[in-house]
Amino acid sequence: AQKITQTQPGMFVQEKEAVTLDCTYDTSDQSYGLFWYKQPSSGEMIFLIYQGSYDEQNATEGRYSLNFQKARKSANLVISASQLGDSAMYFCAIAVGGTSYGKLTFGQGTILTVHP
Amino acid sequence: DTAVSQTPKYLVTQMGNDKSIKCEQNLGHDTMYWYKQDSKKFLKIMFSYNNKELIINETVPNRFSPKSPDKAHLNLHINSLELGDSAVYFCASSQNYPNPNQPQHFGDGTRLSIL
């Protein structure tokens, strides 16, 4: 079974500063994918970034980057130059193939609040 | 064009009723999922279909029955609704099987409230 742990229930950041949201994972599979999703107060789930277990480079998508440390089983999300619109709930998730058929196992989420 | 669309967006009903939620995706994906988000915002997989075939059925009461008439549609029927069924239900799709390297695209969710 897979497990995701997000230890920060809430985080605060000043506008224009960078923030790191923590995520650790547990799986016995060698092939897996790590995902971050954003859920604003309006409720939809927005895909942000993906990291494959065999990817040697850390993933980046615009202001989002994923700090992937495989030996530590961590996949932290870094948001640079925070904006007010970044205030939302952020979920880390893992998917494996095989008999799990790519289902996502989510962490508890971190609420990010960006202050002006 | 909406990639994954769910209807209805809101569903308010009495305990004991039967209701359905519909989901359609126009991304050409083979795999579709239903997730439940509880009041504490925790998301958990319920079901998954791959090419109309049920491939994941987590520990979900028998009152919940998914149906996939074709690979673009996955509906969720709930019988004898209970107070504990109040939640947000998300449909998602991906091309994530057999390799989990593609993101799942989510619908906007259906907020189910049981009175």
Side-chain angles (χ1 to χ4, degrees):
Chain A
Q2 293 72 48
K3 187 177 179 183
I4 293 282
T5 302
Q6 295 179 253
T7 57
Q8 305 155 315
M11 288 285 286
F12 296 89
V13 66
Q14 208 69 29
E15 198 179 5
K16 300 180 186 175
E17 292 186 350
V19 63
T20 297
L21 306 184
D22 293 341
C23 172
T24 57
Y25 62 92
D26 190 28
T27 180
S28 56
D29 285 74
Q30 297 301 310
S31 176
Y32 50 89
L34 294 157
F35 302 84
W36 278 92
Y37 284 84
K38 172 184 178 181
Q39 187 175 39
S41 57
S42 49
E44 69 268 31
M45 294 287 288
I46 302 167
F47 165 70
L48 295 178
I49 196 166
Y50 158 81
Q51 179 84 40
S53 56
Y54 294 119
D55 294 342
E56 294 185 353
Q57 303 267 7
N58 284 344
T60 60
E61 288 286 348
R63 295 186 299 110
Y64 304 108
S65 60
L66 201 152
N67 185 359
F68 181 46
Q69 298 189 42
K70 197 169 181 177
R72 293 185 175 187
K73 293 192 172 181
S74 75
N76 299 339
L77 177 70
V78 180
I79 305 175
S80 62
S82 297
Q83 301 172 355
L84 295 178
D86 293 334
S87 293
M89 179 84 113
Y90 289 81
F91 291 97
C92 180
I94 187 170
V96 303
T99 56
S100 291
Y101 296 98
K103 71 176 182 183
L104 288 171
T105 298
F106 287 90
Q108 308 92 311
T110 297
I111 300 175
L112 176 66
T113 304
V114 181
H115 289 302
Chain B
D1 259 357
T2 305
V4 181
S5 60
Q6 292 179 231
T7 54
K9 191 170 174 66
Y10 299 97
L11 193 48
V12 181
T13 190
Q14 302 275 1
M15 207 164 52
N17 284 352
D18 303 338
K19 290 293 178 187
S20 291
I21 307 171
K22 295 186 176 182
C23 179
E24 176 182 2
Q25 55 97 2
N26 62 6
L27 298 166
H29 290 160
D30 288 337
T31 311
M32 296 185 72
Y33 306 83
W34 277 111
Y35 291 88
K36 178 181 179 180
Q37 186 173 40
D38 63 23
S39 58
K40 294 183 179 178
K41 301 288 189 181
F42 186 66
L43 279 147
K44 188 170 165 56
I45 183 75
M46 298 175 70
F47 301 103
S48 178
Y49 273 73
N50 186 61
N51 272 324
K52 301 193 298 176
E53 182 184 344
L54 179 67
I55 55 173
I56 294 176
N57 185 350
E58 295 286 302
T59 311
V60 177
N62 290 340
R63 299 182 294 103
F64 290 79
S65 52
K67 280 189 174 52
S68 181
D70 55 61
K71 76 173 192 177
H73 295 84
L74 179 60
N75 304 322
L76 183 65
H77 188 75
I78 316 170
N79 288 327
S80 304
L81 281 157
E82 301 178 356
L83 290 175
D85 298 333
S86 293
V88 181
Y89 293 85
F90 284 99
C91 176
S93 74
S94 77
Q95 204 65 18
N96 219 13
Y97 176 75
N99 295 314
N101 57 4
Q102 298 296 321
Q104 292 186 20
H105 297 262
F106 282 76
D108 287 343
T110 295
R111 184 175 295 275
L112 174 62
S113 299
I114 309 301
L115 303 177

Short mmCIF file of all heavy atoms in Angstrom, two decimals, chain A residues 31-35 37 39 41-47 50 89 91 95-108, chain B residues 9 31 33 35 37 40-45 48 50 55-56 58 90 94 96-108:
data_model
loop_
_atom_site.label_atom_id
_atom_site.label_comp_id
_atom_site.label_asym_id
_atom_site.label_seq_id
_atom_site.Cartn_x
_atom_site.Cartn_y
_atom_site.Cartn_z
N SER A 31 8.44 1.76 -9.46
CA SER A 31 7.92 2.67 -10.47
C SER A 31 6.67 3.36 -9.92
O SER A 31 5.68 2.71 -9.61
CB SER A 31 7.58 1.91 -11.75
OG SER A 31 7.00 2.78 -12.70
N TYR A 32 6.75 4.68 -9.80
CA TYR A 32 5.62 5.41 -9.26
C TYR A 32 5.68 6.86 -9.75
O TYR A 32 6.70 7.30 -10.29
CB TYR A 32 5.58 5.39 -7.72
CG TYR A 32 6.89 5.78 -7.06
CD1 TYR A 32 7.18 7.12 -6.77
CD2 TYR A 32 7.83 4.81 -6.72
CE1 TYR A 32 8.38 7.46 -6.16
CE2 TYR A 32 9.03 5.16 -6.12
CZ TYR A 32 9.31 6.47 -5.84
OH TYR A 32 10.50 6.82 -5.24
N GLY A 33 4.57 7.53 -9.60
CA GLY A 33 4.50 8.94 -9.97
C GLY A 33 4.05 9.75 -8.77
O GLY A 33 3.22 9.30 -7.98
N LEU A 34 4.60 10.93 -8.64
CA LEU A 34 4.23 11.85 -7.56
C LEU A 34 3.58 13.08 -8.17
O LEU A 34 4.09 13.62 -9.17
CB LEU A 34 5.46 12.23 -6.74
CG LEU A 34 6.06 11.05 -5.99
CD1 LEU A 34 7.53 11.31 -5.68
CD2 LEU A 34 5.28 10.77 -4.71
N PHE A 35 2.49 13.51 -7.61
CA PHE A 35 1.69 14.59 -8.18
C PHE A 35 1.36 15.61 -7.09
O PHE A 35 1.18 15.26 -5.92
CB PHE A 35 0.38 14.06 -8.74
CG PHE A 35 0.54 13.00 -9.81
CD1 PHE A 35 0.74 11.68 -9.46
CD2 PHE A 35 0.49 13.34 -11.14
CE1 PHE A 35 0.90 10.69 -10.43
CE2 PHE A 35 0.63 12.37 -12.12
CZ PHE A 35 0.84 11.05 -11.76
N TYR A 37 -1.56 18.67 -6.47
CA TYR A 37 -2.78 19.29 -6.93
C TYR A 37 -3.10 20.49 -6.03
O TYR A 37 -2.79 20.48 -4.83
CB TYR A 37 -3.96 18.31 -6.87
CG TYR A 37 -3.96 17.29 -7.98
CD1 TYR A 37 -3.20 16.13 -7.89
CD2 TYR A 37 -4.71 17.49 -9.13
CE1 TYR A 37 -3.20 15.19 -8.91
CE2 TYR A 37 -4.72 16.56 -10.16
CZ TYR A 37 -3.96 15.43 -10.04
OH TYR A 37 -3.96 14.50 -11.06
N GLN A 39 -6.29 22.91 -4.69
CA GLN A 39 -7.74 23.02 -4.58
C GLN A 39 -8.09 24.38 -3.99
O GLN A 39 -8.02 24.60 -2.78
CB GLN A 39 -8.32 21.89 -3.71
CG GLN A 39 -9.85 21.88 -3.71
CD GLN A 39 -10.44 20.72 -2.96
OE1 GLN A 39 -9.95 20.31 -1.90
NE2 GLN A 39 -11.52 20.14 -3.49
N SER A 41 -10.64 27.63 -2.98
CA SER A 41 -11.88 27.62 -2.20
C SER A 41 -13.10 27.30 -3.07
O SER A 41 -14.12 26.84 -2.57
CB SER A 41 -12.07 28.95 -1.49
OG SER A 41 -12.07 30.00 -2.42
N SER A 42 -12.98 27.49 -4.37
CA SER A 42 -14.08 27.17 -5.29
C SER A 42 -14.26 25.65 -5.46
O SER A 42 -15.27 25.20 -5.98
CB SER A 42 -13.86 27.83 -6.64
OG SER A 42 -12.55 27.58 -7.10
N GLY A 43 -13.26 24.87 -5.04
CA GLY A 43 -13.44 23.43 -4.94
C GLY A 43 -12.86 22.55 -6.02
O GLY A 43 -12.74 21.33 -5.81
N GLU A 44 -12.49 23.10 -7.16
CA GLU A 44 -11.98 22.21 -8.21
C GLU A 44 -10.56 21.74 -7.90
O GLU A 44 -9.86 22.35 -7.11
CB GLU A 44 -12.02 22.92 -9.58
CG GLU A 44 -11.04 24.06 -9.74
CD GLU A 44 -11.63 25.39 -9.35
OE1 GLU A 44 -12.51 25.42 -8.46
OE2 GLU A 44 -11.18 26.41 -9.93
N MET A 45 -10.16 20.65 -8.51
CA MET A 45 -8.83 20.07 -8.32
C MET A 45 -8.00 20.40 -9.57
O MET A 45 -8.34 20.00 -10.68
CB MET A 45 -8.91 18.56 -8.16
CG MET A 45 -9.62 18.12 -6.90
SD MET A 45 -8.61 18.41 -5.45
CE MET A 45 -7.37 17.14 -5.65
N ILE A 46 -6.90 21.11 -9.34
CA ILE A 46 -6.06 21.58 -10.45
C ILE A 46 -4.71 20.89 -10.38
O ILE A 46 -4.01 21.00 -9.36
CB ILE A 46 -5.88 23.11 -10.37
CG1 ILE A 46 -7.23 23.81 -10.39
CG2 ILE A 46 -4.99 23.61 -11.51
CD1 ILE A 46 -7.17 25.28 -10.02
N PHE A 47 -4.34 20.18 -11.43
CA PHE A 47 -3.04 19.53 -11.49
C PHE A 47 -1.95 20.59 -11.62
O PHE A 47 -2.05 21.51 -12.44
CB PHE A 47 -2.99 18.57 -12.67
CG PHE A 47 -1.60 18.13 -13.04
CD1 PHE A 47 -0.90 17.27 -12.20
CD2 PHE A 47 -0.98 18.59 -14.18
CE1 PHE A 47 0.38 16.88 -12.52
CE2 PHE A 47 0.29 18.19 -14.52
CZ PHE A 47 0.98 17.33 -13.68
N TYR A 50 4.21 17.04 -11.88
CA TYR A 50 4.40 15.60 -11.79
C TYR A 50 5.90 15.28 -11.74
O TYR A 50 6.70 15.94 -12.41
CB TYR A 50 3.78 14.93 -13.02
CG TYR A 50 4.34 13.56 -13.32
CD1 TYR A 50 3.89 12.45 -12.64
CD2 TYR A 50 5.36 13.38 -14.28
CE1 TYR A 50 4.41 11.19 -12.89
CE2 TYR A 50 5.89 12.13 -14.54
CZ TYR A 50 5.40 11.04 -13.85
OH TYR A 50 5.93 9.79 -14.10
N MET A 89 -5.79 25.00 -0.84
CA MET A 89 -5.35 23.74 -0.24
C MET A 89 -4.49 23.03 -1.28
O MET A 89 -4.85 22.99 -2.46
CB MET A 89 -6.57 22.88 0.10
CG MET A 89 -6.24 21.53 0.70
SD MET A 89 -5.97 21.67 2.48
CE MET A 89 -7.37 20.75 3.06
N PHE A 91 -2.52 19.40 -2.27
CA PHE A 91 -2.46 17.97 -2.00
C PHE A 91 -1.29 17.35 -2.75
O PHE A 91 -1.10 17.59 -3.95
CB PHE A 91 -3.74 17.27 -2.45
CG PHE A 91 -4.95 17.60 -1.65
CD1 PHE A 91 -5.85 18.57 -2.08
CD2 PHE A 91 -5.20 16.96 -0.45
CE1 PHE A 91 -6.98 18.88 -1.34
CE2 PHE A 91 -6.33 17.26 0.31
CZ PHE A 91 -7.21 18.22 -0.14
N ALA A 95 0.89 7.69 -7.28
CA ALA A 95 0.22 6.67 -8.08
C ALA A 95 1.24 5.62 -8.49
O ALA A 95 2.38 5.94 -8.82
CB ALA A 95 -0.41 7.29 -9.32
N VAL A 96 0.81 4.38 -8.43
CA VAL A 96 1.64 3.29 -8.93
C VAL A 96 0.82 2.50 -9.94
O VAL A 96 -0.40 2.61 -9.98
CB VAL A 96 2.13 2.36 -7.80
CG1 VAL A 96 2.91 3.16 -6.77
CG2 VAL A 96 0.99 1.61 -7.14
N GLY A 97 1.51 1.73 -10.74
CA GLY A 97 0.82 0.92 -11.75
C GLY A 97 0.43 -0.42 -11.17
O GLY A 97 0.03 -0.52 -10.01
N GLY A 98 0.57 -1.46 -11.98
CA GLY A 98 0.24 -2.81 -11.52
C GLY A 98 -1.20 -2.89 -11.06
O GLY A 98 -2.11 -2.32 -11.68
N THR A 99 -1.44 -3.58 -9.97
CA THR A 99 -2.81 -3.81 -9.50
C THR A 99 -3.43 -2.57 -8.87
O THR A 99 -4.60 -2.59 -8.51
CB THR A 99 -2.86 -4.96 -8.49
OG1 THR A 99 -1.95 -4.64 -7.42
CG2 THR A 99 -2.47 -6.27 -9.13
N SER A 100 -2.66 -1.51 -8.71
CA SER A 100 -3.24 -0.25 -8.22
C SER A 100 -3.82 0.57 -9.36
O SER A 100 -4.50 1.57 -9.12
CB SER A 100 -2.19 0.56 -7.47
OG SER A 100 -1.83 -0.06 -6.27
N TYR A 101 -3.50 0.18 -10.61
CA TYR A 101 -4.12 0.79 -11.79
C TYR A 101 -4.03 2.31 -11.81
O TYR A 101 -4.93 2.98 -12.32
CB TYR A 101 -5.58 0.36 -11.92
CG TYR A 101 -5.71 -1.12 -12.16
CD1 TYR A 101 -5.99 -1.98 -11.11
CD2 TYR A 101 -5.54 -1.67 -13.42
CE1 TYR A 101 -6.10 -3.35 -11.31
CE2 TYR A 101 -5.65 -3.03 -13.64
CZ TYR A 101 -5.93 -3.87 -12.58
OH TYR A 101 -6.05 -5.21 -12.79
N GLY A 102 -2.96 2.85 -11.23
CA GLY A 102 -2.76 4.28 -11.31
C GLY A 102 -3.64 5.11 -10.41
O GLY A 102 -3.70 6.33 -10.54
N LYS A 103 -4.33 4.48 -9.46
CA LYS A 103 -5.17 5.29 -8.56
C LYS A 103 -4.28 6.21 -7.74
O LYS A 103 -3.14 5.90 -7.43
CB LYS A 103 -5.98 4.39 -7.63
CG LYS A 103 -5.13 3.70 -6.58
CD LYS A 103 -5.97 2.89 -5.61
CE LYS A 103 -5.07 2.27 -4.55
NZ LYS A 103 -5.80 1.40 -3.60
N LEU A 104 -4.82 7.37 -7.39
CA LEU A 104 -4.09 8.34 -6.58
C LEU A 104 -4.36 8.10 -5.10
O LEU A 104 -5.51 7.96 -4.70
CB LEU A 104 -4.50 9.76 -6.95
CG LEU A 104 -4.00 10.28 -8.30
CD1 LEU A 104 -4.67 11.61 -8.63
CD2 LEU A 104 -2.49 10.45 -8.30
N THR A 105 -3.29 8.08 -4.32
CA THR A 105 -3.39 8.08 -2.87
C THR A 105 -2.93 9.46 -2.41
O THR A 105 -1.79 9.86 -2.70
CB THR A 105 -2.52 6.98 -2.24
OG1 THR A 105 -2.97 5.71 -2.70
CG2 THR A 105 -2.60 7.02 -0.72
N PHE A 106 -3.81 10.17 -1.71
CA PHE A 106 -3.57 11.56 -1.35
C PHE A 106 -3.08 11.70 0.08
O PHE A 106 -3.39 10.87 0.96
CB PHE A 106 -4.85 12.37 -1.48
CG PHE A 106 -5.27 12.64 -2.89
CD1 PHE A 106 -6.11 11.77 -3.56
CD2 PHE A 106 -4.84 13.78 -3.56
CE1 PHE A 106 -6.50 12.01 -4.87
CE2 PHE A 106 -5.23 14.05 -4.86
CZ PHE A 106 -6.06 13.15 -5.52
N GLY A 107 -2.36 12.80 0.33
CA GLY A 107 -2.05 13.22 1.68
C GLY A 107 -3.21 14.02 2.26
O GLY A 107 -4.24 14.21 1.61
N GLN A 108 -3.00 14.49 3.48
CA GLN A 108 -4.07 15.20 4.19
C GLN A 108 -4.27 16.61 3.69
O GLN A 108 -5.27 17.26 3.99
CB GLN A 108 -3.76 15.24 5.69
CG GLN A 108 -3.43 13.90 6.32
CD GLN A 108 -1.93 13.63 6.30
OE1 GLN A 108 -1.24 13.77 5.29
NE2 GLN A 108 -1.40 13.21 7.45
N LYS B 9 -23.82 19.71 -10.04
CA LYS B 9 -22.77 20.29 -9.22
C LYS B 9 -23.16 20.23 -7.74
O LYS B 9 -22.31 20.07 -6.87
CB LYS B 9 -22.52 21.73 -9.64
CG LYS B 9 -21.27 22.35 -9.03
CD LYS B 9 -20.97 23.69 -9.67
CE LYS B 9 -19.81 24.40 -8.97
NZ LYS B 9 -18.54 23.69 -9.13
N THR B 31 -9.13 5.37 -18.69
CA THR B 31 -9.39 5.07 -17.29
C THR B 31 -10.12 6.22 -16.62
O THR B 31 -9.75 7.38 -16.79
CB THR B 31 -8.07 4.80 -16.54
OG1 THR B 31 -7.29 3.86 -17.30
CG2 THR B 31 -8.34 4.21 -15.17
N TYR B 33 -12.19 7.41 -12.79
CA TYR B 33 -12.17 7.17 -11.34
C TYR B 33 -13.29 7.95 -10.66
O TYR B 33 -13.69 9.02 -11.12
CB TYR B 33 -10.84 7.65 -10.73
CG TYR B 33 -9.58 7.10 -11.37
CD1 TYR B 33 -9.05 7.67 -12.52
CD2 TYR B 33 -8.90 6.04 -10.79
CE1 TYR B 33 -7.89 7.19 -13.10
CE2 TYR B 33 -7.72 5.55 -11.35
CZ TYR B 33 -7.22 6.13 -12.50
OH TYR B 33 -6.06 5.65 -13.06
N TYR B 35 -13.68 9.55 -6.75
CA TYR B 35 -13.07 9.83 -5.46
C TYR B 35 -14.12 10.49 -4.57
O TYR B 35 -14.99 11.21 -5.05
CB TYR B 35 -11.88 10.79 -5.59
CG TYR B 35 -10.67 10.21 -6.27
CD1 TYR B 35 -10.55 10.27 -7.66
CD2 TYR B 35 -9.65 9.60 -5.55
CE1 TYR B 35 -9.44 9.74 -8.30
CE2 TYR B 35 -8.54 9.08 -6.18
CZ TYR B 35 -8.44 9.15 -7.55
OH TYR B 35 -7.34 8.62 -8.18
N GLN B 37 -14.39 13.09 -1.25
CA GLN B 37 -13.71 14.02 -0.35
C GLN B 37 -14.62 14.30 0.83
O GLN B 37 -15.70 14.86 0.67
CB GLN B 37 -13.34 15.32 -1.06
CG GLN B 37 -12.49 16.25 -0.20
CD GLN B 37 -11.97 17.46 -0.93
OE1 GLN B 37 -12.67 18.06 -1.74
NE2 GLN B 37 -10.72 17.84 -0.67
N LYS B 40 -13.39 16.64 6.17
CA LYS B 40 -12.05 17.07 6.56
C LYS B 40 -11.13 17.23 5.35
O LYS B 40 -9.92 17.36 5.48
CB LYS B 40 -11.43 16.07 7.55
CG LYS B 40 -12.17 16.03 8.86
CD LYS B 40 -11.51 15.10 9.86
CE LYS B 40 -12.28 15.10 11.16
NZ LYS B 40 -11.72 14.18 12.17
N LYS B 41 -11.72 17.20 4.18
CA LYS B 41 -11.02 17.41 2.91
C LYS B 41 -10.16 16.22 2.50
O LYS B 41 -9.37 16.34 1.56
CB LYS B 41 -10.13 18.67 2.95
CG LYS B 41 -10.90 19.93 3.23
CD LYS B 41 -11.72 20.33 2.04
CE LYS B 41 -12.33 21.70 2.19
NZ LYS B 41 -13.16 22.06 1.03
N PHE B 42 -10.31 15.08 3.16
CA PHE B 42 -9.52 13.93 2.79
C PHE B 42 -10.11 13.27 1.56
O PHE B 42 -11.32 12.99 1.51
CB PHE B 42 -9.43 12.93 3.94
CG PHE B 42 -8.51 11.80 3.67
CD1 PHE B 42 -7.14 12.01 3.54
CD2 PHE B 42 -8.98 10.51 3.50
CE1 PHE B 42 -6.27 10.97 3.28
CE2 PHE B 42 -8.12 9.47 3.22
CZ PHE B 42 -6.76 9.69 3.11
N LEU B 43 -9.27 13.01 0.57
CA LEU B 43 -9.69 12.40 -0.70
C LEU B 43 -9.33 10.93 -0.72
O LEU B 43 -8.19 10.55 -0.46
CB LEU B 43 -8.96 13.08 -1.87
CG LEU B 43 -9.53 14.41 -2.34
CD1 LEU B 43 -8.43 15.31 -2.82
CD2 LEU B 43 -10.55 14.16 -3.44
N LYS B 44 -10.31 10.11 -1.12
CA LYS B 44 -10.06 8.66 -1.16
C LYS B 44 -10.70 8.06 -2.40
O LYS B 44 -11.83 8.41 -2.76
CB LYS B 44 -10.64 8.02 0.11
CG LYS B 44 -10.28 6.55 0.28
CD LYS B 44 -10.66 6.06 1.64
CE LYS B 44 -10.66 4.54 1.72
NZ LYS B 44 -9.38 3.94 1.35
N ILE B 45 -9.98 7.15 -3.01
CA ILE B 45 -10.48 6.46 -4.20
C ILE B 45 -11.67 5.58 -3.81
O ILE B 45 -11.73 4.99 -2.74
CB ILE B 45 -9.37 5.60 -4.84
CG1 ILE B 45 -9.85 4.92 -6.13
CG2 ILE B 45 -8.87 4.55 -3.85
CD1 ILE B 45 -9.94 5.85 -7.29
N SER B 48 -12.65 2.53 -9.97
CA SER B 48 -12.00 2.89 -11.22
C SER B 48 -12.43 1.91 -12.31
O SER B 48 -12.62 0.72 -12.05
CB SER B 48 -10.48 2.87 -11.08
OG SER B 48 -9.89 3.18 -12.33
N ASN B 50 -11.47 0.83 -16.40
CA ASN B 50 -10.57 0.93 -17.54
C ASN B 50 -11.26 0.31 -18.74
O ASN B 50 -11.60 -0.88 -18.73
CB ASN B 50 -9.25 0.21 -17.26
CG ASN B 50 -8.23 0.43 -18.37
OD1 ASN B 50 -7.83 1.56 -18.64
ND2 ASN B 50 -7.82 -0.63 -19.02
N ILE B 55 -12.00 -2.02 -12.40
CA ILE B 55 -10.68 -2.50 -12.03
C ILE B 55 -10.32 -2.19 -10.59
O ILE B 55 -9.44 -2.80 -10.01
CB ILE B 55 -9.58 -1.95 -12.97
CG1 ILE B 55 -9.61 -0.41 -13.02
CG2 ILE B 55 -9.71 -2.55 -14.35
CD1 ILE B 55 -8.47 0.21 -13.79
N ILE B 56 -10.97 -1.20 -10.01
CA ILE B 56 -10.75 -0.89 -8.60
C ILE B 56 -12.11 -0.77 -7.93
O ILE B 56 -12.98 -0.06 -8.41
CB ILE B 56 -9.97 0.43 -8.40
CG1 ILE B 56 -8.55 0.32 -8.93
CG2 ILE B 56 -9.93 0.81 -6.91
CD1 ILE B 56 -7.78 1.63 -8.85
N GLU B 58 -12.76 -0.15 -4.05
CA GLU B 58 -12.28 -0.06 -2.68
C GLU B 58 -13.40 -0.44 -1.72
O GLU B 58 -14.51 -0.75 -2.16
CB GLU B 58 -11.78 1.36 -2.39
CG GLU B 58 -10.57 1.74 -3.19
CD GLU B 58 -9.29 1.08 -2.74
OE1 GLU B 58 -8.91 1.25 -1.56
OE2 GLU B 58 -8.65 0.40 -3.57
N PHE B 90 -15.77 13.40 -6.63
CA PHE B 90 -15.02 13.83 -7.81
C PHE B 90 -14.87 12.68 -8.78
O PHE B 90 -14.50 11.57 -8.41
CB PHE B 90 -13.62 14.30 -7.42
CG PHE B 90 -13.56 15.66 -6.79
CD1 PHE B 90 -13.48 15.80 -5.42
CD2 PHE B 90 -13.56 16.80 -7.58
CE1 PHE B 90 -13.41 17.05 -4.83
CE2 PHE B 90 -13.50 18.06 -7.01
CZ PHE B 90 -13.42 18.19 -5.63
N SER B 94 -7.75 9.56 -16.72
CA SER B 94 -6.33 9.63 -17.07
C SER B 94 -6.00 8.52 -18.06
O SER B 94 -6.80 7.63 -18.31
CB SER B 94 -5.44 9.47 -15.83
OG SER B 94 -5.38 8.11 -15.44
N ASN B 96 -3.46 6.57 -17.35
CA ASN B 96 -2.47 6.29 -16.32
C ASN B 96 -2.18 4.82 -16.13
O ASN B 96 -1.48 4.44 -15.21
CB ASN B 96 -2.94 6.89 -14.98
CG ASN B 96 -1.80 7.49 -14.22
OD1 ASN B 96 -0.72 7.68 -14.74
ND2 ASN B 96 -2.03 7.81 -12.96
N TYR B 97 -2.79 4.01 -16.96
CA TYR B 97 -2.60 2.56 -16.85
C TYR B 97 -1.97 2.05 -18.12
O TYR B 97 -2.43 2.40 -19.20
CB TYR B 97 -3.93 1.88 -16.60
CG TYR B 97 -3.83 0.37 -16.57
CD1 TYR B 97 -3.28 -0.27 -15.47
CD2 TYR B 97 -4.26 -0.39 -17.64
CE1 TYR B 97 -3.17 -1.65 -15.45
CE2 TYR B 97 -4.15 -1.76 -17.62
CZ TYR B 97 -3.62 -2.39 -16.53
OH TYR B 97 -3.50 -3.75 -16.50
N PRO B 98 -0.91 1.27 -18.09
CA PRO B 98 -0.33 0.66 -16.89
C PRO B 98 0.73 1.51 -16.20
O PRO B 98 1.15 1.17 -15.11
CB PRO B 98 0.31 -0.61 -17.46
CG PRO B 98 0.72 -0.22 -18.84
CD PRO B 98 -0.33 0.74 -19.32
N ASN B 99 1.16 2.63 -16.83
CA ASN B 99 2.23 3.41 -16.21
C ASN B 99 1.65 4.65 -15.54
O ASN B 99 0.98 5.45 -16.18
CB ASN B 99 3.26 3.84 -17.25
CG ASN B 99 3.98 2.63 -17.84
OD1 ASN B 99 4.39 1.77 -17.09
ND2 ASN B 99 4.11 2.59 -19.14
N PRO B 100 1.93 4.86 -14.27
CA PRO B 100 1.34 5.98 -13.53
C PRO B 100 2.07 7.29 -13.76
O PRO B 100 2.51 7.95 -12.83
CB PRO B 100 1.49 5.51 -12.08
CG PRO B 100 2.78 4.74 -12.08
CD PRO B 100 2.81 4.03 -13.41
N ASN B 101 2.21 7.66 -15.02
CA ASN B 101 3.03 8.84 -15.31
C ASN B 101 2.23 9.95 -15.97
O ASN B 101 2.79 10.89 -16.52
CB ASN B 101 4.20 8.44 -16.21
CG ASN B 101 3.73 7.78 -17.50
OD1 ASN B 101 2.53 7.69 -17.76
ND2 ASN B 101 4.66 7.33 -18.31
N GLN B 102 0.92 9.87 -15.94
CA GLN B 102 0.08 10.92 -16.50
C GLN B 102 -0.84 11.47 -15.41
O GLN B 102 -1.34 10.70 -14.59
CB GLN B 102 -0.78 10.38 -17.65
CG GLN B 102 0.02 9.85 -18.82
CD GLN B 102 0.82 10.94 -19.48
OE1 GLN B 102 0.36 12.06 -19.63
NE2 GLN B 102 2.05 10.61 -19.87
N PRO B 103 -1.04 12.78 -15.39
CA PRO B 103 -1.92 13.34 -14.35
C PRO B 103 -3.36 12.93 -14.57
O PRO B 103 -3.79 12.71 -15.71
CB PRO B 103 -1.74 14.85 -14.52
CG PRO B 103 -1.34 15.03 -15.94
CD PRO B 103 -0.53 13.83 -16.30
N GLN B 104 -4.08 12.84 -13.49
CA GLN B 104 -5.51 12.65 -13.59
C GLN B 104 -6.17 14.02 -13.69
O GLN B 104 -5.81 14.95 -12.99
CB GLN B 104 -6.04 11.89 -12.38
CG GLN B 104 -5.55 10.44 -12.37
CD GLN B 104 -6.16 9.61 -11.26
OE1 GLN B 104 -7.21 9.95 -10.72
NE2 GLN B 104 -5.51 8.51 -10.93
N HIS B 105 -7.14 14.10 -14.59
CA HIS B 105 -7.90 15.33 -14.76
C HIS B 105 -9.23 15.16 -14.03
O HIS B 105 -9.93 14.18 -14.26
CB HIS B 105 -8.13 15.60 -16.25
CG HIS B 105 -6.85 15.82 -17.00
ND1 HIS B 105 -6.37 17.08 -17.29
CD2 HIS B 105 -5.94 14.94 -17.49
CE1 HIS B 105 -5.22 16.96 -17.95
NE2 HIS B 105 -4.94 15.68 -18.07
N PHE B 106 -9.53 16.14 -13.19
CA PHE B 106 -10.69 16.04 -12.33
C PHE B 106 -11.85 16.89 -12.85
O PHE B 106 -11.64 17.97 -13.43
CB PHE B 106 -10.34 16.52 -10.91
CG PHE B 106 -9.58 15.51 -10.11
CD1 PHE B 106 -8.24 15.27 -10.35
CD2 PHE B 106 -10.21 14.78 -9.11
CE1 PHE B 106 -7.53 14.33 -9.62
CE2 PHE B 106 -9.52 13.84 -8.36
CZ PHE B 106 -8.18 13.60 -8.62
N GLY B 107 -13.06 16.39 -12.59
CA GLY B 107 -14.23 17.23 -12.76
C GLY B 107 -14.31 18.23 -11.61
O GLY B 107 -13.48 18.20 -10.69
N ASP B 108 -15.31 19.07 -11.67
CA ASP B 108 -15.44 20.13 -10.64
C ASP B 108 -16.03 19.62 -9.33
O ASP B 108 -16.13 20.38 -8.37
CB ASP B 108 -16.28 21.28 -11.18
CG ASP B 108 -15.52 22.11 -12.20
OD1 ASP B 108 -14.27 21.99 -12.26
OD2 ASP B 108 -16.17 22.87 -12.94
#
